[in-house]
Amino acid sequence: MQFCNSASTKHHVFRLNAALLMSLAAVGSASAATLSVGPGKTYAAPCAAFAKAKAGDIIEIQGGKTYSGDVCAISASDLTIRGVNGRPKIDAAGKNAQSKAIWVVKGNNIKVENVEMYGAKVPDKNGAALRLEGTNFTLRSSFLHDNQNGILSGANANSNVVIEYSEFGYNGYGDGYSHNLYIGNIASLVFRFNYSHDANVGHNLKSRAKLNTITYNRFSSTPSGQTGSTKSGKPSYEIDLPNGGTSYVIGNVIHQPSAHNNPGMLAYGLEGATNPGQDLYVVNNTFLNDDSSRGTFVLIGGKVTKAALIQNNIFGGTGTVTGQASAVQKSNFRSVAPGFLNRAQYDLRPTANALVINAATAPGKSASGFSLVPTAQYKHTAASETRPASGALDIGAYESAAPTASPSIPAPSVPAAPVTWKVCAPEGGTCSFTGTREVRFGAPGYYNTKVITAKTPCNSTVFGNPKTGVYKSCSYSSLAK
């Protein structure tokens, strides 16, 4: 019996396998196609291309054109749909697909990039620009506005949704049951570098996902009459996570306008903490409340059994930080009027304040090992930049230093002398000083602050109670206002 050389055989098999892989790759690349949509292209409108698309195809929609009434279901999987040469506008124009949406996404692993979608309306008042029914979806660099829902997804325990670099405005029928985004009970949501604003009575973001990673976004709305990319809305919650879930809320601007439909800003577990995780991490955000009479910054349902971590946040304006007595609050800055470089223009880098600059504490990692340290910051509109690493971490969503990604923004001026604080009264006494100053009430690591002229009673009636069971006093800042 004759045997072939084993080394030669292995080499021959390797060459056959390599050839086979190359041929399979060639077949795969040959089977994927780019379908062009627009005037003079193969397909006049997107839905005609969707109907012909096969798994792996790319659909390129020419920008600079409005595609009116082009509504349909997307059935193929593994598609990339993107606007090119500008952002194409997809106008429902009174039509809908399956009484659900402009596009009903039934395929799996669909990516949609650089499109503008608006006008979705259906008889049940729940029409969406994008209705998600498949597994896994990505939206990037898009603008969804003036729909009954921007995005509406059903429950899908296997689905992971990523939404980034996108804008959502004035979505919602106005009944409180439709929103800028409504994500159903899915495996996970990643929501980052987005601008969600002016929801019409509903929420700027509602998610029932089991895992929520909400990082470096701006949730805010325009005052009535102010020019914006959509008309002004009166949102309810800025962020609503009604069923709890492991949730990371890091590095966001969360702003409640004076006209709204619910004084809570970030809501967690209010419809029953039915998701497996009940751990909420609220780290290095800047909260702003324009309602001068009421508000709760972090509203946590009574059935949530695990203490939230609330660390390194700025809480600006009137309101209660949270009603959860067990919440772990670390290194937050509370002030009716925090100092920012330009509050009106949303340059929310903090001005010189020893309680904010370099005053944050290391947030470490979550119970599952997720890093809670902010590494980026939101840049308008729906963009991002690296968070500068300049010494110790500042409190809030922004570092005081100018970001390296935006060299045109001047660095803030810093006084030669550091901000200092002078103790002026024990709790129950009267704090007196000259001029208008920022006054803090509390104990090290736990302070509430207000801007006050001349004198003030030093008690929790004026400032709120930053921490029970500790000796508290009042101090005023060395910087006059």
Side-chain angles (χ1 to χ4, degrees), residues 39-174:
K41 303 296 181 182
T42 305
Y43 302 94
C47 286
F50 299 158
K52 296 293 185 180
K54 307 295 183 184
D57 285 354
I58 298 170
I59 296 95
E60 293 189 338
I61 307 170
Q62 292 298 310
K65 175 178 170 54
T66 300
Y67 301 85
S68 295
D70 193 53
V71 301
C72 59
I74 302 172
S75 298
S77 294
D78 302 299
L79 300 181
T80 297
I81 301 164
R82 63 191 180 205
V84 295
N85 302 317
R87 181 178 283 173
K89 297 183 178 182
I90 316 297
D91 180 3
K95 297 183 179 181
N96 65 77
Q98 302 179 357
S99 297
K100 295 178 180 178
I102 297 177
W103 293 344
V104 181
V105 181
K106 293 181 174 292
N108 301 327
N109 307 312
I110 301 292
K111 296 178 182 178
V112 175
E113 302 173 349
N114 192 38
V115 299
E116 179 176 347
M117 305 181 73
Y118 54 93
K121 298 178 181 179
V122 300
D124 69 0
K125 306 172 185 177
N126 219 16
L130 293 165
R131 179 74 171 262
L132 309 185
E133 296 186 353
T135 299
N136 300 335
F137 176 80
T138 297
L139 179 73
R140 183 178 293 119
S141 303
S142 296
F143 182 22
L144 277 54
H145 62 93
D146 295 278
N147 305 284
Q148 290 173 336
N149 286 284
I151 292 180
L152 176 60
S153 94
N156 184 339
N158 297 313
S159 188
N160 300 286
V161 171
V162 176
I163 300 168
E164 58 187 9
Y165 301 107
S166 295
E167 180 179 355
F168 303 84
Y170 211 79
N171 299 289
Y173 175 77

Side-chain angles (χ1 to χ4, degrees), residues 1 49 71 100 109 165 179 226 276 311 324 358 449:
M1 184 179 293
V71 301
K100 295 178 180 178
N109 307 312
Y165 301 107
H179 314 281
Q226 179 175 316
Q311 184 171 356
Q324 189 187 52
N358 297 336
T449 70

